[in-house]
């Protein structure tokens, strides 16, 4: 749990009640692969072929689906306008790839690559000035885990899960942005908060330079 919410001052508390920990863990389960289906999830190495292994990805906070969508800032991901059956079928373009040739169902806490549609398919951690720290890759990047169930047991479609990125060391969540798609991490900041933090940093750097200059550095 500390790994998932390591940047949160609440999670860092050693005296945090078990009920509060459980509530936070449950709140991280903001996703559902294959809404409207009930079967073990299976992986594949690329988008083409095995269409039954493509899934929609429903956000439980919005009640809508995450899809490829052009954005002025950040990665080209956004939310559908509705959650109809037709929309669910249209945006069933998410898939997961694993490193080994194992054809067993996807397992909780297994390291996989997360992908959407054709080239470039794979979603990876990538630092950005604006928007969630995600980018695209032409090749699989194995840095995601589906969490929310007993590690090693099969992941079922139609179940609430958490999407954990090992590079970010956080779960992907819904986040109301004013620039870029509305997804983020528990530690994400809105644009004005980022600018404020940058202003503080710039102010500190200016003060440091002034002190060093006064000292003759």
């Amino acid at each position: 749990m500390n790994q998932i919410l390591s940047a949160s001052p609440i999670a860092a508390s050693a005296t945090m009640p078990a009920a509060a920990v459980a509530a936070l863990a449950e709140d991280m389960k903001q996703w559902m692969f294959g809404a409207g289906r009930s079967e073990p999830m299976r992986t594949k190495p690329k988008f083409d072929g095995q269409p039954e292994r493509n899934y929609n990805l429903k956000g439980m906070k919005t009640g809508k689906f995450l899809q490829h969508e052009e954005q002025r800032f950040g990665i080209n991901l956004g939310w559908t306008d509705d959650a109809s059956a037709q929309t669910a079928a249209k945006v069933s373009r998410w898939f997961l790839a694993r490193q080994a040739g194992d054809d067993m169902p996807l397992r909780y806490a297994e390291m996989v690559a997360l992908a959407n549609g054709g080239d470039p398919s794979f979603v990876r951690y990538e630092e950005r000035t604006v928007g969630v720290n995600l980018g695209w890759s032409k090749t699989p990047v194995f840095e995601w885990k589906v969490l929310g169930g007993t590690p090693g047991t099969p992941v079922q479609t139609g179940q609430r899960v958490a999407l954990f990125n090992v590079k970010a060391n956080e779960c992907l969540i819904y986040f109301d942005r004013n620039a870029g798609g509305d997804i983020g991490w528990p530690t994400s900041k809105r644009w004005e908060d980022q600018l404020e933090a940058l202003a503080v940093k710039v102010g500190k750097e200016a003060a440091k330079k002034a002190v060093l200059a006064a000292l003759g550095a």
Side-chain angles (χ1 to χ4, degrees), residues 51-181:
E52 72 280 2
R53 299 189 182 192
N54 294 336
Y55 304 97
N56 57 55
L57 182 56
K58 190 172 187 178
M60 306 313 295
K61 294 290 186 180
T62 65
K64 298 176 182 178
F65 300 103
L66 192 66
Q67 64 173 344
H68 187 281
E69 180 180 273
E70 293 293 325
Q71 300 288 345
R72 185 176 179 184
F73 299 102
I75 190 171
N76 288 329
L77 290 173
W79 298 97
T80 58
D81 293 329
D82 60 65
S84 68
Q86 292 84 352
T87 297
K90 180 181 178 181
V91 299
S92 291
R93 297 173 61 82
W94 291 93
F95 67 99
L96 296 169
R98 57 162 49 113
Q99 290 174 286
D102 184 355
D103 199 40
M104 296 293 288
L106 175 71
R107 295 178 285 271
Y108 280 107
E110 178 181 0
M111 193 79 77
V112 292
L114 175 68
N116 179 279
D119 190 31
S121 298
F122 299 94
V123 181
R124 66 176 303 164
Y125 181 82
E126 177 183 293
E127 292 191 0
R128 293 177 178 269
T129 303
V130 179
V132 65
N133 287 338
L134 291 175
W136 297 104
S137 171
K138 290 179 175 291
T139 56
V141 182
F142 302 100
E143 61 182 33
W144 295 90
K145 294 182 179 182
V146 177
L147 303 180
T150 303
T153 61
V155 180
Q156 294 281 129
T157 56
Q159 299 293 315
R160 293 175 66 110
V161 298
L163 275 176
F164 179 70
N165 183 280
V166 297
K167 293 288 182 65
N169 199 32
E170 296 191 86
C171 289
L172 187 67
I173 61 171
Y174 169 78
F175 183 74
D176 183 15
R177 293 184 179 277
N178 47 11

Side-chain angles (χ1 to χ4, degrees), residues 200-215:
V200 170
K201 181 179 179 181
V202 170
K204 288 181 178 179
E205 289 297 321
K208 180 179 178 181
K209 288 181 180 179
V211 170
L212 291 175
L215 291 171

